[in-house]
Amino acid sequence: HRFTNTKYVPGKAEEVLPKWVKKGWKPDVVVVDPPRTGLDSQLIQTILQVQPAKLIYVSCNPSTLAKDIQSLSTKFNVNYIQPVDMFPQ
């Protein structure tokens, strides 16, 4: 299938997204899957500036998720959280 409404760009989100914003591009949806340390502070600021209609945050560390939600909650509301046990042994 060929998707005409998506674009995949390799690179660090904290470097790529600010460049796009400077060019006037605004995403409708941002999906983040940060390392255990959480989102880069520059990326958080850019996300807050861009204010996409939807932000999807995939987390493997509940404590950094909570920290990042605190920062992002100035512009976003949490509508849904789905915990998943990836290692249920």
Side-chain angles (χ1 to χ4, degrees):
H1 297 281
R2 291 202 167 257
F3 295 100
T4 59
N5 64 344
T6 59
K7 182 175 183 171
Y8 297 93
V9 177
K12 292 184 176 184
E14 59 268 18
E15 296 170 2
V16 174
L17 190 56
K19 289 178 186 177
W20 289 347
V21 170
K22 286 180 183 175
K23 292 180 180 180
W25 183 77
K26 179 182 176 180
D28 297 322
V29 178
V30 171
V31 179
V32 295
D33 184 3
R36 290 187 181 274
T37 56
L39 293 174
D40 178 84
S41 62
Q42 175 62 39
L43 180 57
I44 289 175
Q45 292 308 311
T46 303
I47 291 170
L48 291 172
Q49 177 189 352
V50 171
Q51 293 185 37
K54 186 177 279 189
L55 173 64
I56 299 169
Y57 190 121
V58 179
S59 176
C60 63
N61 188 339
S63 63
T64 55
L65 169 63
K67 174 185 68 79
D68 289 347
I69 284 176
Q70 187 174 19
S71 299
L72 293 165
S73 67
T74 61
K75 303 281 183 180
F76 293 93
N77 294 319
V78 176
N79 293 329
Y80 183 75
I81 294 177
Q82 175 63 59
V84 176
D85 186 355
M86 298 296 290
F87 306 99
Q89 51 276 30

